Amino acid sequence: MNRSRPVAECGAALPAMTRRQFVAAAAIAPWLSTASAAEPARSAGNIVRVGVIGTGVRGKYLIGNLPESAVVTAICDCATLRIASTLEPNGTFAPVLQRFKDRDAAKCATHQDYRRMFDREKLDAVIIATPDHHHALAAMLALQAGLDVYLEKPLTACVREGRRLADAVKRSGRVLQVGSQQRTMEMNRFACEFIRNGGLGKVTRVELPNYPGPLPMPSLGEEPGFGGVDFDLFCGPAPLRPHHRHLWMKEDFQVGDLLWRGWDLFRDYSGHLMTNWGAHSVDMVQLALGRDDTGPVEVRAIEPPSVAELWPRWRDKTPAPVGQASSQSNSFNGKPKATSGVPRNADAFGLPLNEAEARRFWPVRMKYADGIELHFSHGPDFIVFHGEKGVLKMRRNYFETDPPGLIKNGPDPAVAEKWKGTGHVARPHLENWLDAIRSGAPLNAPVEVGHRTATICHLANIARELNRPLKWSPAREQFLDNAEANTLLDRPRRKGFEFSAA
C-alpha cells in the first residue's frame, strides 16, 4: 500500500480452553518469535497489514471488529494460551473471530515479545491492547518501525509517558488513534457539539462518576506458571514479581459472584477504574467543553462522610475499602472459592489499614481556568452537564436533556443501532483509523486528545494519594510549587524496557 500520504491531525470472560487449544499452544511454543513463514503477508491494493499486541478479551474483539480492508498478519501475547485461543476460538469468541479464523489465522505469524514482532514482520500498522503499563513502549517501538498505531485507552500509565508519546507521533508523521470510540459514536458527538456550540448556555459544572483509583501492589505469593506465560514479559517495564495468575488473567479474577479486574487493580500496571472507565467520561467532557488541548488548573480530593457508603456502587469491580467488611469473602491465593463475607482487602492483600488506601474512593473536584468545575461524585451512571438553559445527561451512545425539548432536531435514534451487538462496537472507530492511514482523513481520537484525557485521570489519582489541593499548569504539564506531586508524573522503568534515545 502507498504509505506516503498526509497525516491529519464490555467484558466477557474467556471461555475455558479446549484440549485442541492446549495442543495448539504447545505446538506454538517452539516457533514463537521466529521469522514469518515463507509466504509473505498480503499487501495488495489498499489492504492494511496489521499486527495485534495483546490477545485477551479486548484484543480478540478488536480483531473481530476490523473491517475487511485490513488483514491481521501477526499476533503477539506473552501467554501462548491466549495466542492459541485466538487462532482456535471457542465459546463467546467463536462467532467474533470466525472471519479471522477462516481467512487469516492459518497464515498469521505469532510472537510472545512485541519487540521481536517489530523486528521480523512486514506490517503497515499495529493494534495495541496490552495492559496499560505496556502501552507507551509498544507504541513508541511501533512508531520507530514506521507503523501506524491503534492504541487502547488509557493512552499511558503516567503523564510523562503521554507527552513523550504525543511528541513521538508528531516527529514520526504516523497516525495514532486512541481507542476512545465514543468520539466516533454519532449520539455522543452530537451531544458534545450541542454543548460546545452553546446549546446549554454557559456551563458551570459537570458531574462524573467517582471512579476508584488503584491499590498498591499486594503480596499474593507465588504460583507455578501456566498457560505458556512469559511472566518477565508481562511485568515488562514494571518491577519483576513472582508469578500469580491474578496479576495477568484480568478476566479470570472471579471472587464469589464478583468479577474483579486482575492487573487493572494495581498501581504498578494501571490507574484502575479512574483511568480505565474514567478515560471515556473525561474524554466526553473535554470534547463537549472544547478543551482537547488543555485541562483543569486546580484539583483536590474531598473527604467523604463515609468511605464505606461509597464502595457498594463499585462492589462488582473493585475490593472493599481497607478494613471494610462486606457481603462476600474469599482468598486471593489459588483458585477462589465463594464463602461468606467480602474480603477485607487489608487482610486479603496484606495492605495496611490506613486512610491513605481508602482515599482511592474519595470524590475529586477540579476547576478549569474559566471556572467550570468537574465533580467526580457519583456511582457508575451518566455524565451530567449543568448549564444556564438546562441539563444534559450523557452516557455511551445516549443522551437526554432537561427540559426534554431543549434539543429540537436531534440525530435519528437509528444511528445508535450500529454500535450495538457483541463484538461490533469498535468497527466504525477502526474504520476512521484506517481512513486516516489511507487518505489522511482526520482522526476522531488523535494522540494529543488521548494524552490530555488520560492526564486528567492521573491528576485525580495523584490528588487522592497526596491528599492536598494542587495547582496544575496544562501548558507546562507540571504542578506548581509542589515537587512531591511532580515526582508522581513519571515512573521508573525496568532495565531492558527503557525508552530508546530515538
Side-chain angles (χ1 to χ4, degrees):
M1 60 176 294
N2 180 12
R3 298 185 58 78
S4 59
R5 76 284 184 270
V7 179
E9 229 18 62
C10 271
L14 281 173
M17 288 191 73
T18 64
R19 181 180 182 278
R20 183 178 183 185
Q21 288 171 337
F22 275 117
V23 172
I28 285 169
W31 50 271
L32 276 166
S33 299
T34 61
S36 301
E39 186 173 351
R42 287 168 283 178
S43 58
N46 269 344
I47 294 294
V48 178
R49 299 170 298 184
V50 177
V52 177
I53 307 172
T55 56
V57 170
R58 188 59 182 168
K60 286 181 171 66
Y61 276 130
L62 291 173
I63 291 172
N65 278 204
L66 266 177
E68 292 189 8
S69 58
V71 57
V72 176
T73 61
I75 58 176
C76 177
D77 199 285
C78 64
T80 57
L81 174 155
R82 288 211 175 103
I83 294 173
S85 64
T86 304
L87 298 174
E88 289 285 345
N90 70 334
T92 300
F93 291 103
V96 173
L97 292 173
Q98 188 63 52
R99 190 188 69 196
F100 166 75
K101 180 182 177 183
D102 292 345
R103 189 185 74 166
D104 304 330
K107 297 179 180 180
C108 189
T110 61
H111 297 269
Q112 282 187 282
D113 188 333
Y114 52 80
R115 296 168 297 184
R116 305 291 83 78
M117 186 183 81
F118 292 138
D119 288 343
R120 295 168 180 170
E121 300 302 329
K122 293 181 179 180
L123 301 170
D124 300 308
V126 65
I127 291 172
I128 300 170
T130 64
D132 302 352
H133 65 297
H134 277 283
H135 283 189
L137 181 60
M140 294 282 283
L141 292 176
L143 294 171
Q144 290 171 20
L147 307 182
D148 297 302
V149 179
Y150 184 100
L151 178 59
E152 268 302 328
K153 54 82 199 156
L155 185 77
T156 53
C158 65
V159 175
R160 292 283 180 260
E161 286 182 350
R163 174 45 57 205
R164 184 168 190 146
L165 181 55
D167 290 346
V169 171
K170 292 177 184 176
R171 291 194 304 269
S172 72
R174 296 291 96 203
V175 160
L176 190 151
Q177 173 97 305
V178 184
S180 299
Q181 62 206 33
Q182 291 183 36
R183 288 222 168 210
T184 301
M185 292 181 175
E186 291 83 356
M187 302 298 282
N188 293 78
R189 289 173 67 86
F190 179 91
C192 289
E193 184 175 352
F194 173 79
I195 295 168
R196 195 168 59 249
N197 291 338
L200 289 180
K202 179 178 173 55
V203 174
T204 57
R205 182 175 83 255
V206 185
E207 296 167 356
L208 303 90
N210 183 38
Y211 301 102
L215 288 159
M217 283 302 302
S219 298
L220 290 177
E222 185 170 7
E223 290 184 337
F226 84 106
V229 66
D230 185 326
F231 201 65
D232 180 87
L233 289 177
F234 168 81
C235 291
L240 182 62
R241 299 187 180 277
H243 170 267
H244 195 287
R245 65 182 292 141
H246 288 156
L247 293 180
W248 67 275
M249 289 289 288
K250 184 172 83 166
E251 68 280 1
D252 192 43
F253 204 161
Q254 189 79 32
V255 182
D257 63 334
L258 310 180
L259 181 62
W260 289 347
R261 303 181 66 85
W263 57 261
D264 179 72
L265 288 167
F266 306 119
R267 191 175 292 138
D268 275 12
Y269 312 126
S270 169
H272 195 34
L273 295 180
M274 179 56 78
T275 58
N276 190 321
W277 289 0
H280 284 305
S281 295
V282 170
D283 199 50
M284 292 296 93
V285 173
Q286 289 280 94
L287 181 59
L289 300 182
R291 307 297 162 92
D292 281 345
D293 60 350
T294 187
V297 297
E298 298 178 17
V299 55
R300 62 191 175 106
I302 307 294
E303 183 175 5
S306 170
V307 169
E309 294 178 2
L310 300 179
W311 173 73
R313 304 169 178 174
W314 307 98
R315 69 179 295 272
D316 62 335
K317 294 299 180 185
T318 199
V322 289
Q324 173 65 38
S326 316
S327 61
Q328 296 278 337
S329 111
N330 226 307
S331 165
F332 291 87
N333 295 307
K335 187 68 176 176
K337 295 181 179 179
T339 57
S340 59
V342 156
R344 302 172 53 190
N345 62 357
D347 297 331
F349 287 126
L351 300 176
L353 288 169
N354 59 38
E355 175 196 275
E357 302 313 329
R359 286 202 300 266
R360 70 192 189 92
F361 289 92
W362 282 20
V364 175
R365 289 188 184 176
M366 300 185 186
K367 184 184 289 187
Y368 289 97
D370 62 356
I372 297 177
E373 293 189 353
L374 305 185
H375 293 192
F376 294 84
S377 57
H378 55 263
D381 201 346
F382 289 99
I383 314 164
V384 184
F385 295 85
H386 295 265
E388 295 172 314
K389 300 178 181 179
V391 172
L392 186 145
K393 299 169 71 174
M394 185 193 311
R395 62 188 177 204
R396 181 188 299 255
N397 207 25
Y398 177 84
F399 67 86
E400 61 185 60
T401 63
D402 184 14
L406 199 58
I407 294 176
K408 303 299 183 184
N409 296 301
D412 185 341
V415 302
E417 293 302 314
K418 69 179 179 182
W419 295 97
K420 298 177 181 179
T422 302
H424 297 289
V425 294
R427 183 163 295 165
H429 200 53
L430 287 162
E431 287 174 341
N432 173 245
W433 175 56
L434 293 173
D435 288 344
I437 291 173
R438 294 193 183 94
S439 66
L443 287 168
N444 289 341
V447 65
E448 186 69 26
V449 161
H451 169 56
R452 295 292 181 167
T453 289
T455 293
I456 294 175
C457 300
H458 294 312
L459 296 183
N461 281 337
I462 291 171
R464 287 165 165 166
E465 184 172 345
L466 296 181
N467 189 23
R468 69 190 68 158
L470 298 169
K471 302 286 188 180
W472 174 253
S473 169
R476 295 162 59 187
E477 294 191 339
Q478 65 181 41
F479 293 103
L480 304 180
D481 303 320
N482 197 312
E484 182 181 8
N486 283 325
T487 65
L488 301 179
L489 298 176
D490 208 349
R491 53 171 60 197
R493 306 186 69 82
R494 190 159 62 97
K495 186 176 181 180
F497 296 89
E498 307 97 331
F499 294 121
S500 71

